[in-house]
Amino acid sequence: MRNAVRKLRATTDKTEAAALYPKVTKMLDKLAKTNVIHKNKASNLKSKLAIYINKLA
């Protein structure tokens, strides 16, 4: 999980980041569903990643 989030945050290309985003969110949702991470933690990560992607030029 951490590596996928790091990889997405390290991406500077908006199209590449937008392509990775659904895969990362799906993984976060699965981890939250199985109680590996808290559901609010998954939600916060998804929100911050979406904001990051929207800020990319």
Side-chain angles (χ1 to χ4, degrees):
M1 175 207 54
R2 289 179 183 163
N3 288 335
V5 172
R6 277 189 207 133
K7 184 177 180 182
L8 183 56
R9 285 190 179 141
T11 306
T12 56
D13 182 31
K14 186 170 185 168
T15 56
E16 188 179 335
L20 279 174
Y21 183 70
K23 295 174 187 172
V24 174
T25 56
K26 184 177 179 182
M27 180 182 48
L28 290 171
D29 287 336
K30 281 185 178 181
L31 291 171
K33 187 176 181 180
T34 58
N35 293 322
V36 175
I37 60 172
H38 197 273
K39 64 179 183 175
N40 292 350
K41 172 75 172 176
S43 181
N44 286 335
L45 282 171
K46 291 191 298 184
S47 174
K48 289 185 188 215
L49 290 173
I51 290 168
Y52 172 75
I53 291 170
N54 287 331
K55 283 184 179 178
L56 288 175

